[in-house]
Amino acid sequence: MTDTAIYAAGGVIWRLVDGKLKILVIHRTAYVDITLPKGKVDPGETLAETAVREIYEETGIRVSLGVNVGVSRYRMPNKREKIVHYWAAEATDAAIRASAFVPNKEVAAIEWMGIKKARKHLSYPVDVEILENFAKLVDDGVLRTFPIIALRHAKALSREEWKGTETARPLSPRGKREAEALVGQLRAFGPVQIISSPAARCVKTVTPLSKTIGRRIELTDLVSQEAWEEGKSDERTIVGRLVRGRRAAVVCSHGPVLPGILTEIALATGTLRGSYLGSASSLETSAFSVVHLSATNPGSGIVAIETHEPKR
């Protein structure tokens, strides 16, 4: 992020009503316009966290993020550039029922529209461009997706600092902070399953997330560094189960194991391999890549990959 630009995030929120696709737009009070829900990044937030928070604050609907559908850039009246990142996000029936939205000083109303109507009524061309990106996903038959999140463990104590076994090597003080900071970042994508190498540095990385979302950590040697070093790791078995399960999942593992995890996702979904897999798996500690797959047809290939750097 640059010092001069203003960053924001939001979403194209969608639902199916009697089989028809509807998009949520907001009528803003002060500007008397119609736009997509979005808002500025708060200090200490990541863009994904901002998107989820702003969508909830403006619409009352809690969502989990799907595929990134683009970035809009424009100049504000004060000449500063505003950069807005958008994700697609489904509004579930339960989330809509739980919404406590009432008109307020920022948002006068929210409205569900078909894509054609939204194209005509959105006030700004940059919003229409984002909607068109979303419409391309719909046209491609990729509306509902689920993520497999490949996470490298947080910073551990160095081998020189630790006198115990390698498996028991714990997180450093910085790593503990990173593990706590990961909770909001990972929750933005709605994980309901957590898989981890048994190594302490992996388990402790996802423990705060596990406690927050109320899901147990599934330990497996198949993605451990020790198994990888012995030639006994089995990323294929883990990835195959996750693809078949079609549930949002986090897999916490180690630097040398991550390329195998990404490669197996590509193979399991019939995706052509390329340099992008190397980029998505070359993660520093506490960074993660979100691999989005079609929930209706995972074998159609990877829909998108986005990589998130650690908070500092």
Side-chain angles (χ1 to χ4, degrees):
M1 294 187 182
T2 67
D3 293 332
T4 56
I6 295 174
Y7 286 84
V12 179
I13 314 307
W14 64 271
R15 66 187 292 204
L16 293 175
V17 180
D18 296 328
K20 296 181 180 180
L21 180 63
K22 301 293 183 180
I23 304 301
L24 187 63
V25 299
I26 63 172
H27 297 251
R28 294 196 297 180
T29 305
Y31 297 95
V32 194
D33 60 8
I34 300 176
T35 185
L36 299 172
K38 66 179 183 300
K40 291 188 291 186
V41 174
D42 278 349
E45 274 188 332
T46 62
L47 290 161
E49 289 173 296
T50 298
V52 171
R53 176 184 57 76
E54 284 288 343
I55 290 166
Y56 177 69
E57 289 180 358
E58 293 195 338
T59 71
I61 299 173
R62 295 191 184 278
V63 299
S64 297
L65 302 181
V67 177
N68 188 289
V69 288
V71 182
S72 68
R73 300 169 182 265
Y74 55 92
R75 292 288 173 181
M76 302 177 65
N78 63 7
K79 305 303 182 183
R80 292 182 68 182
E81 184 180 29
K82 190 167 187 177
I83 302 173
V84 190
H85 291 247
Y86 289 92
W87 282 264
E90 180 181 7
T92 64
D93 290 341
I96 293 170
R97 286 194 300 269
S99 173
F101 171 82
V102 292
N104 54 72
K105 63 181 182 180
E106 292 187 6
V107 181
I110 59 176
E111 182 178 1
W112 293 97
M113 297 180 176
I115 289 182
K116 289 183 179 179
K117 184 176 179 180
R119 284 190 184 108
K120 296 177 181 178
H121 286 79
L122 284 169
S123 300
Y124 305 105
V126 289
D127 281 359
V128 175
E129 289 176 10
I130 296 299
L131 182 63
E132 294 298 348
N133 292 342
F134 173 79
K136 290 175 184 176
L137 288 176
V138 178
D139 292 341
D140 289 341
V142 186
L143 180 57
R144 185 171 283 116
T145 60
F146 71 97
I148 296 177
I149 303 170
L151 167 67
R152 186 177 180 186
H153 63 77
K155 182 69 175 177
L157 288 179
S158 68
R159 290 180 174 83
E160 292 73 23
E161 295 175 287
W162 178 245
K163 304 305 178 185
T165 64
E166 178 65 8
T167 301
R169 185 157 58 96
L171 296 180
S172 67
R174 186 185 107 185
K176 293 177 182 178
R177 294 192 297 271
E178 290 175 342
E180 293 291 342
L182 276 167
V183 174
Q185 295 175 272
L186 295 170
R187 280 192 76 190
F189 296 95
V192 295
Q193 188 173 8
I194 306 171
I195 295 174
S196 175
S197 157
R201 56 194 183 276
C202 282
V203 176
K204 293 301 182 182
T205 296
V206 290
T207 293
L209 175 67
S210 172
K211 291 179 178 178
T212 300
I213 67 174
R215 299 281 179 168
R216 68 181 182 86
I217 303 169
E218 302 173 38
L219 303 181
T220 175
D221 285 313
L222 299 182
V223 293
S224 71
Q225 184 158 334
E226 288 72 17
W228 180 85
E229 290 172 350
E230 296 170 5
K232 297 179 180 178
S233 62
D234 186 1
E235 301 90 344
R236 178 165 295 180
T237 292
I238 298 301
V239 168
R241 179 157 62 88
L242 293 177
V243 172
R244 290 191 300 273
R246 307 184 191 196
R247 303 166 69 209
V250 174
V251 182
C252 186
S253 189
H254 309 265
V257 187
L258 291 170
I261 293 174
L262 270 294
T263 295
E264 290 301 333
I265 295 175
L267 289 171
T269 57
T271 309
L272 292 175
R273 287 179 285 175
S275 60
Y276 70 95
L277 291 176
S279 300
S281 61
S282 299
L283 303 175
E284 57 181 301
T285 54
S286 81
F288 61 93
S289 288
V290 184
V291 185
H292 297 277
L293 305 176
S294 167
T296 53
N297 186 15
S300 61
I302 293 171
V303 178
I305 298 180
E306 54 185 281
T307 297
H308 295 255
E309 301 302 329
K311 286 184 180 181
R312 291 288 187 244

